[in-house]
Amino acid sequence: MRDRLLLTCALLALAGCSRKGADEAAALIPEVKTRLAERDAKLASYRIAGTVKDEGQEAVSFTFDYRAPQRMRGTLGPPASRTFAWDGAHLFQQLDGEKQFSTFKSELPPAKLAGFLTETFSPFTPEGFRTPLLLRSATARKAKHPRGPEAVELVQKLEGEAAGVEMVYVLRWPKLDFLAQRTRFPDGTEGEERVEEEHCDAALGLCVPKRLTRWLAGRQVGETVLGRVELNATLPNDAFTLSAPDGYAVQSRTLVESAPAATPSGG
């Protein structure tokens, strides 16, 4: 009888711990979202410049300027420089190699426009500068990390065409500085993007990546190195509104909604 009572008490204690752990995990996601919003509000603008190198390819230089809300300008190259900018109302595209300049007016609904801009400018924005996009199904758990020492892991399983892919963001706790992103594909292959060096701002109380490496199946396949990082830089409105250089062919076009994605139409 005594043994049964002890076993019952032990099982009840375990159940209590399990419920407590589940409650803490459930409360962690809202706290993470709040802290991410607070961090995002601190970083009102930034200017970065660096190089991206992928396995088997030459390094490509880039610059990127961002100012909240939704002001962006990114340049790839040289030698064949390409510049994209969004001034809050128009998208500009300047192709120096072809000497073409296009202005796009948006007729997309807000959600579609946000997705289109994210897709257009994501090549210019290393992880750690933009807020991770979290699905409703995302879960959070505390973890340890060499750069932490405390960290939080945000776990989400992708849906749609990417179904079966699991993505894990690793952020320093409680500042939520980006430390790594791990991806597990349906065939078991694992990829990772990790921070190797950081740029920290004591006044803002946050750090952003200065050097990141990309790995696939345990092999390094890429690297991003930032030679310039300016946080909360002064960026005027006209920095995001481009004008066609002399001698460039000029087009006015429209961003319209079509299946399966938004595409430019001539105009």
Side-chain angles (χ1 to χ4, degrees), residues 53-55 179-185 189-196 211-224:
K53 189 177 188 308
D54 291 316
E55 190 175 42
L179 300 176
Q181 182 199 59
R182 299 194 299 268
T183 306
R184 180 188 289 271
F185 299 96
T189 303
E190 294 186 353
E192 183 179 9
E193 185 166 15
R194 66 177 73 143
V195 173
E196 306 290 354
R211 184 169 75 92
L212 302 110
T213 54
R214 292 179 293 283
W215 302 75
L216 184 64
R219 187 182 81 258
Q220 184 176 340
V221 295
E223 181 180 55
T224 299

Side-chain angles (χ1 to χ4, degrees), residues 5 46-47 66 69 90-91 110 131 176-177 195 197-198 226 235:
L5 287 173
Y46 55 84
R47 170 177 285 160
Y66 169 84
H90 298 89
L91 177 72
T131 301
L176 300 187
D177 300 323
V195 173
E197 297 177 27
E198 293 179 284
L226 299 181
L235 300 172

Side-chain angles (χ1 to χ4, degrees), residues 5 22-23 31 36 51 58 62 67 71 95 111 119-120 123 129 144 149 155 243:
L5 287 173
D23 291 343
E31 185 175 0
L36 282 174
T51 58
E58 295 292 326
F62 75 97
R67 198 193 78 180
R71 301 291 190 277
L95 307 179
E119 183 178 352
T120 301
F129 287 86
K144 299 291 183 182
V155 184
S243 299

